[in-house]
């Protein structure tokens, strides 16, 4: 699937009780009556071993298919940051939500990294795009991984419903919004914390996109949420919730949240933007409002 393809219907999910050999359980911890687990698998899309984390609420043990919320993390994070810092398991346990937390980039021997080990390019900074430029294009295909390969693995491994929601923070907020806007029929709702909404026109996005996608900025538009909303806003719409801290050091210079709000208002898009005095870019902010986001998704998953 290319980054520009719009899904015309819900992707079929064939839940199976059998455990595929491609996914190996690395750890399991009892948590709010359910299980916080971590898995490894060999990714054919990313050409390396990947890890992902899953929270299974107590309802998963009853055998009924459950809805899924995908969480995409931000720069420098792995699949474990949200697991240990957000405090989401308590609410997911109550609401019967499966949480899936992938890593933020390919990793391992042979996976290229920024020459200067910069935090905003290379390892930990996949930006959820399909890279087209060497040396990145051999491994950095995070769009296909999040949209196709990982959901297929989740569908095989767990008893899940044909409904899913997606959320994320910062670079992961960009990923959640961009992927949802590119695959509207796949998701019941989308939310984000402090999202990079216009990566084609902010320092973080310009640096990453020029390396991963080349200098032709027309190729960047398929991964830019502002452009995607402009193209589709009147036709296919998703419930959207975005929280932004006003004490966020990156709010102004990375153009977080606000440019997309302006377009949403023009398009009469069903998006709620909330701005919070005193809150910054950290997990203190995320942990404060994650319950709102999970309840938001649970409501729309139930209606989908």
């Amino acid at each position: 699937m290319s980054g520009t393809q719009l899904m015309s219907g819900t992707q079929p999910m064939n839940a199976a009780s059998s455990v595929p050999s491609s996914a190996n359980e690395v750890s399991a911890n009892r948590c709010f009556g359910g299980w916080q687990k971590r898995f490894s698998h060999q990714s054919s899309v990313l050409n390396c071993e990947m890890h992902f984390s899953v929270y299974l609420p107590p309802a998963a043990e009853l055998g009924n298919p459950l809805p899924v919320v995908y969480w995409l993390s931000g720069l420098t994070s792995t699949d474990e940051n949200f697991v240990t810092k957000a405090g989401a398991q308590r609410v997911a346990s109550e609401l019967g939500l499966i949480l899936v937390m992938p890593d933020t980039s390919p990793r391992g021997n042979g996976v290229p990294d920024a020459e200067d080990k910069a935090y905003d390019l290379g390892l930990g900074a996949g930006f959820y795009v399909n890279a087209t430029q060497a040396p990145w294009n051999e491994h950095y295909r995070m769009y296909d991984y999040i949209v196709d390969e990982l959901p297929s693995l989740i569908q095989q491994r767990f008893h899940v419903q044909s409904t899913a929601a997606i959320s994320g923070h910062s670079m992961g907020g960009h990923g959640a919004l961009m992927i949802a806007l590119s695959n509207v029929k796949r998701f019941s709702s989308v939310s984000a914390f402090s999202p990079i909404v216009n990566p084609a026109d902010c320092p973080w996005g310009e640096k990453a996109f020029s390396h991963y996608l080349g200098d032709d900025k027309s190729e960047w538009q398929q991964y830019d949420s502002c452009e995607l909303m402009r193209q589709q806003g009147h036709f296919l719409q998703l419930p959207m919730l975005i929280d932004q801290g006003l004490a966020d050091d990156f709010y102004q210079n990375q153009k977080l949240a606000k440019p997309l709000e302006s377009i949403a208002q023009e398009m009469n898009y069903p998006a709620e933007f909330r701005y919070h005095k005193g809150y910054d870019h950290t997990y203190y902010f995320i942990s404060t409002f994650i319950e709102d986001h999970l309840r938001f998704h649970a409501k729309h998953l139930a209606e989908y």
Side-chain angles (χ1 to χ4, degrees):
M1 180 188 301
S2 70
T4 55
Q5 181 174 350
L6 258 175
M7 299 297 294
S8 59
T10 302
Q11 186 77 1
M13 294 192 177
N14 299 317
S17 58
S18 61
V19 176
S21 59
S22 57
N24 301 304
E25 187 173 302
V26 175
S27 64
N29 299 93
R30 201 70 166 157
C31 185
F32 290 101
W35 289 96
Q36 181 62 60
K37 297 191 175 189
R38 194 175 192 226
F39 299 86
S40 66
H41 74 110
Q42 188 65 31
S43 169
S44 60
V45 169
L46 304 178
N47 296 312
C48 65
E49 184 182 51
M50 291 294 288
H51 287 85
F52 64 92
S53 293
V54 176
Y55 178 69
L56 298 170
E61 299 179 4
L62 301 178
N64 297 319
L66 297 179
V68 179
V69 177
Y70 287 88
W71 171 268
L72 306 185
S73 289
L75 292 166
T76 76
S77 294
T78 70
D79 60 294
E80 295 187 289
N81 292 72
F82 181 81
V83 169
T84 58
K85 295 180 178 181
Q89 293 92 339
R90 175 185 62 82
V91 184
S93 172
E94 174 194 335
L95 298 175
L97 299 174
I98 293 176
L99 305 179
V100 178
M101 290 72 67
D103 204 345
T104 53
S105 77
R107 298 182 192 269
N109 294 332
V111 175
D113 193 9
E115 292 184 3
D116 60 357
K117 304 298 181 182
Y119 76 95
D120 53 357
L121 183 69
L123 299 184
F127 268 84
Y128 305 101
V129 304
N130 286 340
T132 58
Q133 305 299 302
W136 312 101
N137 55 344
E138 183 178 352
H139 297 280
Y140 284 74
R141 301 185 61 82
M142 287 296 294
Y143 180 92
D144 282 353
Y145 179 71
I146 299 299
V147 172
D148 292 323
E149 186 176 29
L150 183 60
S152 294
L153 190 57
I154 295 300
Q155 293 152 21
Q156 291 175 331
R157 177 99 196 202
F158 305 105
H159 200 30
V160 296
Q161 293 179 0
S162 59
T163 54
I166 190 166
S167 184
H169 170 236
S170 192
M171 178 188 72
H174 143 71
L177 292 167
M178 176 269 293
I179 286 172
L181 289 167
S182 299
N183 302 272
V184 177
K185 297 291 186 177
R186 289 277 295 270
F187 300 100
S188 63
S189 50
V190 59
S191 72
F193 293 83
S194 313
I196 304 170
V197 297
N198 193 193
D201 189 28
C202 78
W204 276 337
E206 289 173 342
K207 178 177 180 178
F209 282 14
S210 62
H211 282 81
Y212 297 150
L213 305 173
D215 294 329
D216 182 356
K217 292 191 176 182
S218 67
E219 296 296 319
W220 301 6
Q221 300 306 310
Q222 62 186 308
Y223 298 114
D224 188 287
S225 294
C226 285
E227 180 63 24
L228 290 167
M229 185 177 281
R230 282 194 188 98
Q231 293 175 1
Q232 305 161 17
H234 289 307
F235 303 103
L236 298 169
Q237 298 185 331
L238 278 174
M240 181 182 294
L241 173 63
I242 293 178
D243 277 325
Q244 175 65 55
L246 293 177
D248 187 329
D249 290 340
F250 306 110
Y251 174 44
Q252 297 293 340
N253 64 359
Q254 299 294 343
K255 302 180 181 179
L256 305 181
K258 204 68 178 178
L260 191 66
E261 182 183 24
S262 297
I263 297 169
Q265 290 172 345
E266 293 172 12
M267 298 287 184
N268 196 28
Y269 203 97
E272 181 180 3
F273 288 77
R274 309 191 306 185
Y275 295 88
H276 306 275
K277 292 181 179 180
Y279 286 93
D280 57 20
H281 201 73
T282 68
Y283 268 88
Y284 293 112
F285 173 47
I286 296 170
S287 64
T288 301
F289 298 103
I290 190 62
E291 179 169 353
D292 291 355
H293 284 239
L294 293 182
R295 293 192 183 282
F296 167 80
H297 290 304
K299 174 179 180 292
H300 292 289
L301 283 163
E303 295 172 349
Y304 193 70

